[in-house]
Amino acid sequence: MGSLELRNVTKVFGKTEIIKGIDLSVKDGEFVVFVGPSGCGKSTLLRMIAGLEDVTSGAVVLDGQDVTAVAPAKRGIAMVFQSYALYPHLTVRDNMGLALRQAGAPRSEIAQAVGRASAMLALDPYLERRPAELSGGQRQRVAIGRAIVRTPSLFLFDEPLSNLDAALRVATRIEIARLHRELGATMIYVTHDQVEAMTLADRIVVLRAGQVEQVGRPMELYNDPANTFVAGFIGSPRMNFLKGAALGESADTVGVRPEHLAISRQGNAIPGTVSHVEKLGGETLVYVRSEVHGLLTVRLFGEQDFSVDEAVQLTPEPPRSLRFDAAGRRLR
Amino acid sequence: MTARRPIRWHIAVFLAPAVLVYTAIMIVPLIGTLNLSLYRATETGPQFVGLGNFRTLFGDALWSDAFWNALGNNVWFFIIHMLVQNPIGILLAALLSSPRLRLAAFYRTAIFVPTVLSFVIVGFVWKLILSPLWGIAPSMLGAVGLKGLFAPWLGQEGSALTALALVSVWQFVGIPMMLIYAALLSIPDEVMEAAEMDGITGWSRFWKVQLPLILPSIGIISILTFVGNFNAFDLIYVAQGALAGPDFATDILGTFLYRTFFGFQLQIGDPNMGAAIATAMFLIILAGVCVYLFGIQTRLRRYQF
Ligand SMILES: Nc1ncnc2c1ncn2[C@@H]1O[C@H](COP(=O)(O)OP(=O)(O)OP(=O)(O)O)[C@@H](O)[C@H]1O
Ligand SMILES: [Mg+2]
């Protein structure tokens, strides 16, 4: 009902190729998150799926049907924009009902669909207001409601939470996860936020410069990244990259997550000096400058006392380190 | 104990230049005109007659017939602009804002160019084009086999005013087009894309999304058209002269005022009656603007995006 397949799609703006041949298949009901650095083409790819952007070559296939040349509204896809993009002159009720009204649905059916969506999103008290009279979070819920009302088989979200404050972001994130369970629809979601990606996704697609770097479940990407780019991109704070030669390893680079780096005041592993300490209550981040490896991050559980300029020794947990060759590819 | 607020002199100082200039070039002449309309020239100098000039203007059939004729013509002039110029302007803006249109910048400029032309040129050129003797309109219509449709439009009482109104529309259609175009561009792309996702495209997108969002601009255009039309003078004067022929068929308030105030051919100028007409025009425009400001504008919502 909501499966999607991209077959070698590319996008060229003028002379620059922005999307360089992407193959991807998304199963019905799956929650897929696109992540990648700014400008890598996440929004462009999403807009190509929606039909708002022409595909230069390749095919977009929905439920086994090639929709590459089909108009956006005919694809049965709903999109939620970062800026909400509500109709400013319509009330919340009309914002949500406009698509159905345009499609010629009977009044009772529209009222029912709007009622269901507004109940789901707790929008009932605001149905007669206009977007200007709502807070950012409420507007975003209306935008999501407008998408739900059309009962699409595929939802697209382009950084829907990035204009919200931290607390609201968490609340709306949980709401989106609940909606995904209740509606059972396929969702594709673009975000910059590590936590959103890790918590919402069934699968994460890591993009770089218009190409897919790796696709996998969040824990797969975290524990088993294919290259240094994915290893560095997934996980916060970022993975430490140590020089293999200095550790007596054959690999060019050894990646160690901050929580897999042990720190002690004596011993003779990797010497360094503490350059900064961040205490977050539940955990402590210690930044250690090493002569050989540069700045390394250590993540410790609970509250730990280290002072700046203190000399320390770091030891990677051998089974948890990842080995990469000179080109950044993973050595297994 | 509360400290007394000091008098804020700087507010007066900052306001002074604008107030002085505005008073000197707007308020004083306006009051002068109103004042002039209350006097009548006699051999012994100006004499105060109260509303006497207005009694003449509206009571004396010689004057009032001319006044109502000019006002009626002016209303028709305005109606043509509202029904032809503004819808065409909106339509052109909607076409220009379509992302698929090529050469949009060229069309925009081409349509706007007549607006910056002088009335003298426009009036003269159209007089030449429409001339039955040496104009190109008859032969152009002839070229497509429609020669029978041609008539000396500017010379017939029934069609002269409409023809001139359409010339004025041709000249000024660029203004509503530009204002609406700017209003359309200020609608965020994402709103239009959301409409596209909702299946609202083409004309229904215009009616359901764009038009409600540009209504405030349409209101502004209407009031600008109203003020412009009731102050119009130049085009009629250039094309038909101050007598606004044929047989006053194109006489509007502006030409009527001009003839009265300055005199024309055998008619001797009468500044006092001219001032009375100017005052009447001022009150008509004031009434129209008030209707707009208090009756219409307050009902048009401006939406922020
Ligand atoms: N209409 C366009 N014309 C030309 N280039 C474009 C156009 N739209 C996007 N680009 C380019 O395509 C690239 C990808 O843009 P896109 O918006 O998809 O990035 P993104 O991954 O969504 O970034 P962000 O995370 O900052 O939103 C950018 O380099 C951008 O400059
Ligand atoms: Mg983007």
Side-chain angles (χ1 to χ4, degrees), chain A residues 38-39 41-44 82 158-159 190 192:
Chain A
S38 191
K42 304 180 295 288
S43 299
T44 307
Q82 177 177 354
D158 193 355
E159 305 195 33
V190 169
H192 270 123

Side-chain angles (χ1 to χ4, degrees), chain B residues 6-21:
Chain B
I7 299 170
R8 286 178 286 178
W9 290 108
H10 61 276
I11 294 182
V13 170
F14 283 127
L15 280 177
V19 169
L20 287 180
V21 170

Side-chain angles (χ1 to χ4, degrees), chain B residues 73-258:
Chain B
N73 286 343
N74 223 150
V75 168
W76 179 243
F77 198 67
F78 173 61
I79 290 175
I80 296 270
H81 279 81
M82 286 301 284
L83 292 186
V84 181
Q85 172 188 284
N86 296 347
I88 291 182
I90 295 167
L91 182 77
L92 289 173
L95 291 177
L96 276 184
S97 72
S98 150
R100 274 184 277 281
L101 181 74
R102 292 192 208 169
L103 293 180
F106 169 75
Y107 293 129
R108 203 174 57 212
T109 313
I111 294 167
F112 199 71
V113 159
T115 305
V116 299
L117 289 180
S118 155
F119 280 104
V120 181
I121 297 172
V122 171
F124 191 64
V125 162
W126 276 97
K127 240 177 117 103
L128 286 182
I129 291 175
L130 296 176
S131 159
L133 294 180
W134 53 73
I136 58 162
S139 49
M140 274 178 73
L141 280 174
V144 292
L146 294 174
K147 189 150 184 142
L149 279 185
F150 182 80
W153 288 298
L154 287 179
Q156 292 178 335
E157 268 181 52
S159 60
L161 181 63
T162 308
L164 279 176
L166 291 176
V167 169
S168 170
V169 165
W170 172 84
Q171 181 175 12
F172 287 118
V173 74
I175 289 179
M177 179 192 78
M178 280 301 199
L179 286 171
I180 296 290
Y181 182 59
L184 287 175
L185 289 189
S186 75
I187 302 176
D189 288 344
E190 291 203 333
V191 172
M192 302 310 286
E193 286 173 352
E196 204 169 335
M197 297 297 298
D198 275 348
I200 301 159
T201 50
W203 277 111
S204 63
R205 183 176 73 169
F206 178 74
W207 288 114
K208 289 183 184 162
V209 181
Q210 290 177 308
L211 190 65
L213 295 177
I214 59 172
L215 273 185
S217 297
I218 293 180
I220 300 262
I221 287 165
S222 306
I223 197 67
L224 285 179
T225 309
F226 175 77
V227 174
N229 285 168
F230 278 81
N231 276 325
F233 162 73
D234 337 36
L235 181 67
I236 310 274
Y237 182 72
V238 169
Q240 308 289 52
L243 281 179
D247 192 19
F248 301 112
T250 58
D251 196 21
I252 59 175
L253 291 170
T255 44
F256 180 45
L257 162 68
Y258 176 88

Side-chain angles (χ1 to χ4, degrees), chain A residues 47 50 52 72-73 77-79 81 83 85-89 98-99 102 130 132 146 150, chain B residues 190-191 193-201 204-205 208-210 212-213 301 303-305:
Chain A
R47 292 163 51 81
L52 294 172
I77 295 179
M79 182 154 172
F81 296 84
S83 63
L86 299 174
Y87 307 119
H89 58 295
L98 190 62
Q102 177 73 13
R130 278 173 226 277
R146 182 171 64 178
R150 292 173 50 207
Chain B
E190 291 203 333
V191 172
E193 286 173 352
E196 204 169 335
M197 297 297 298
D198 275 348
I200 301 159
T201 50
S204 63
R205 183 176 73 169
K208 289 183 184 162
V209 181
Q210 290 177 308
L213 295 177
R301 273 164 182 274
Y303 303 100
Q304 80 251 37
F305 299 100

